[in-house]
Amino acid sequence: GADKPGIVSGITTKLANLQINITDVETTRTSQNPGAKSVFIMLIEAKLPASGDLQFIRSELKGTAETMGVDITVQELAVVDL
């Protein structure tokens, strides 16, 4: 969604409250030009607790997204042991 103060804080606080450990985070904006409409993008890699219910987490994040006026997409990734 549109870049505005509090996005990172709101999402990371919600994840912490759900006992989700953030292992990597990257942020960017689609436009760096002053005056141009910019979309804020945040990619988070996270580890769920052993008892983590992905459907419940998606539901909780959907509520947070609606409250904040942003879009959140959750994708499960396969873990590769090195």
Side-chain angles (χ1 to χ4, degrees):
D3 192 11
K4 58 185 174 186
I7 295 174
V8 173
S9 174
I11 301 302
T12 58
T13 297
K14 182 63 175 183
L15 293 174
N17 290 341
L18 293 169
Q19 302 301 304
I20 296 173
N21 184 36
I22 296 171
T23 57
D24 193 22
V25 65
E26 181 179 337
T27 64
T28 190
R29 292 184 317 172
T30 57
S31 176
Q32 302 296 325
N33 298 328
K37 185 173 181 175
S38 179
V39 174
F40 178 76
I41 300 168
M42 180 169 60
L43 300 172
I44 297 175
E45 179 181 290
K47 182 165 176 56
L48 305 183
S51 62
D53 176 350
L54 193 55
Q55 289 305 102
F56 174 76
I57 291 165
R58 280 190 173 115
S59 175
E60 288 290 306
L61 289 173
K62 181 179 179 183
T64 300
E66 290 172 358
T67 299
M68 296 178 66
V70 300
D71 295 317
I72 297 177
T73 302
V74 177
Q75 295 179 321
E76 187 173 11
L77 299 176
V79 175
V80 177
D81 291 323
L82 300 177

